[in-house]
Amino acid sequence: MSNKMWGGRFGDGPDAIMEEINASIGFDQRFAAQDIRGSKAHCAMLAAKGIIAKADADQIEAGLDTIAREIEAGEFSFSRALEDIHMNVESRLAEIVGPAAGRLHTARSRNDQVATDFKLYVRDTIDHLDGQLAALQQAFLGQAEAHADTVMPGFTHLQTAQPVTFGHHCLAYVEMLARDRGRFQDARKRLNECPLGAAALAGTSFPIDRDQTAKALGFDGPTRNSLDSVSDRDFALETLSAASIAAIHLSRFAEEIVVWMSAGFKFVDLPDSLTTGSSIMPQKRNPDAAELVRAKSGRVIAAFSSLSIVMKGLPLAYSKDMQEDKEALFDALDALSLCLAAMTAMAGSLTANKPAMAKAAGAGFSTATDLADWLVRAANLPFRQAHHVTGTLVAEAEAKGIDLHELTLEDMQKVEPAITKDIYSVLSVESSVKSRTSLGGTSPDNVRAEAQRWRKHLNQA
């Protein structure tokens, strides 16, 4: 029996092993909605150009609508023998409308069909992810507004560096997520050219109107080179690159939640609904949601690496290797979407332990830079000299087992006679954060103003 998909060229049906490795319907059936949209646009164009009869086009469109309803209702039977979503839809269409179904594939190939479907799917997913990223920005913004004055330690090398506010820390993630949204939007803009009509690789001799199909599918216009149209997967790589960076950002905050919930910090807490217990230790409350966000970032990053490796050695135009472009992307974008939902829940519901944060903010000589800055301003010392004096005073306080503000004025003047009692006005963590008024600084007034700016921007978007 000849293979109906491949026509008369092949006498025998596919071997079981070939069918197993070749079939993609197990994962590309999620393209169903996009495949039907593309087919309806192609059919309308063929009829408008007189390439197929309007009566056939009407039957085809009605049949595609029926298939869409069957899939939506879970009544459609997907067949592995038919390889992919395109042939499954076409086969079912033939059952519904008869010979007219065979006219749908005029002037197109599965190569430009799948490229179009894939772009439509990625574009739809980017729009969904953008909404999720915006919701997470809102969650962080809510925390920033609530904690503009909440003092906490800022870290470098995970060592106490200078006091900051928790609100300022949250606004850092609002900025990161804005860049993530920008990267996805850039990827969306570049992918928004329609491959449909490129056919297998060389275009078609039929008098098609590619501008019509591009417009019908919401693209900015058609792609300009048929070879590139069917062999390009830059849009998938770029989307995965943006997804990888976004996943890294989520993983960084997940790591902070894990650290901050540990006994050594106790900076934040999560509700019971976002933590788990232990099967043997009844006292435990584990930040498993954060840990899983941290772990799933690896799946997203791996998908970008996987597709890069698939594409790096392929000659133009289409190769079957490119069937491997989908599973990893589906998994990665699914994982990112889930992580965004989980992180939005965590960011919106975590509670800050203000006393623990404030206590830690004052430890580790965190106001040493404020002391050095005071020496520059008030004593007119060059910064390098002020830095040396401050380091000497830190060593003195460390040797005595006290903090900087606990050193006596006499102790300080032995190191630098120009120091006066006014020095104590800059050694508190509250004074430190209030003084950081430069653009982008951590002062509470800055945080409130920046939060207000972001709130206005997000509400207008």
Side-chain angles (χ1 to χ4, degrees), residues 313-346:
L314 298 186
L316 297 181
Y318 181 83
S319 296
K320 193 68 171 183
D321 311 51
M322 292 164 69
Q323 183 168 291
E324 291 296 310
D325 58 2
K326 301 172 191 66
E327 280 186 282
L329 180 136
F330 293 158
D331 181 75
L333 299 187
D334 285 350
L336 179 60
S337 180
L338 178 59
C339 288
L340 284 167
M343 188 55 76
T344 301
M346 286 186 281

Side-chain angles (χ1 to χ4, degrees), residues 36 40 58-77 89 92-93 95-97:
I36 291 170
K40 290 178 72 173
D58 290 343
Q59 287 188 66
I60 290 169
E61 184 170 350
L64 290 171
D65 287 338
T66 298
I67 293 170
R69 289 192 294 270
E70 289 176 350
I71 293 173
E72 182 70 23
E75 298 170 354
F76 189 91
S77 179
V89 170
R92 177 61 180 141
L93 184 63
E95 292 174 356
I96 296 171
V97 306

Side-chain angles (χ1 to χ4, degrees), residues 94-157:
E95 292 174 356
I96 296 171
V97 306
R103 301 190 185 280
L104 175 60
H105 209 54
T106 306
R108 76 173 181 186
S109 162
R110 278 194 295 175
N111 293 353
D112 62 334
Q113 188 178 0
V114 70
T116 303
D117 292 357
F118 202 10
K119 279 194 170 185
L120 289 171
Y121 178 86
V122 171
R123 192 178 69 186
D124 290 345
T125 304
I126 286 174
D127 292 343
H128 173 72
L129 291 172
D130 183 72
Q132 289 191 288
L133 287 162
L136 181 52
Q137 282 185 294
Q138 294 279 10
F140 276 118
L141 188 56
Q143 293 286 5
E145 291 169 331
H147 294 286
D149 295 285
T150 301
V151 177
M152 68 174 289
F155 299 97
T156 60
H157 311 279

Side-chain angles (χ1 to χ4, degrees), residues 37-38 40-42 44-45 120 123 194 196 209-219:
R37 281 165 60 192
K40 290 178 72 173
H42 184 67
M45 181 275 297
L120 289 171
R123 192 178 69 186
C194 184
L196 195 59
D209 185 345
R210 295 191 61 207
D211 286 300
Q212 178 182 333
T213 49
K215 183 177 180 180
L217 293 170
F219 288 103

Side-chain angles (χ1 to χ4, degrees), residues 273-428:
S273 59
L274 293 170
T275 59
T276 65
S278 166
S279 63
I280 191 172
M281 296 171 284
Q283 82 280 10
K284 295 290 292 297
R285 289 180 71 252
N286 302 319
D288 283 6
E291 292 171 7
L292 287 166
V293 167
R294 185 175 59 183
K296 286 180 184 294
S297 64
R299 297 172 70 159
V300 182
I301 297 164
F304 174 74
S305 297
S306 175
L307 184 54
S308 298
I309 294 166
V310 168
M311 296 301 299
K312 71 175 181 61
L314 298 186
L316 297 181
Y318 181 83
S319 296
K320 193 68 171 183
D321 311 51
M322 292 164 69
Q323 183 168 291
E324 291 296 310
D325 58 2
K326 301 172 191 66
E327 280 186 282
L329 180 136
F330 293 158
D331 181 75
L333 299 187
D334 285 350
L336 179 60
S337 180
L338 178 59
C339 288
L340 284 167
M343 188 55 76
T344 301
M346 286 186 281
S349 62
L350 67 80
T351 55
N353 184 342
K354 294 183 181 181
M357 285 184 170
K359 182 178 179 181
F365 309 106
S366 64
T367 57
T369 304
D370 298 275
L371 192 157
D373 289 346
W374 184 91
L375 289 169
V376 172
R377 287 194 309 270
N380 200 29
L381 268 62
F383 182 79
R384 284 301 170 200
Q385 184 180 347
H387 186 282
H388 178 77
V389 169
T390 301
T392 303
L393 291 172
V394 167
E396 178 78 11
E398 193 169 36
K400 292 175 179 281
I402 58 177
D403 210 337
L404 276 174
H405 71 276
E406 295 176 304
L407 285 171
T408 66
L409 182 60
E410 183 182 4
D411 288 335
M412 293 190 187
Q413 289 175 336
K414 285 179 183 178
V415 176
E416 175 48 62
I419 294 176
T420 70
K421 64 180 180 180
D422 290 342
I423 191 68
Y424 293 104
S425 67
V426 303
L427 294 183
S428 73

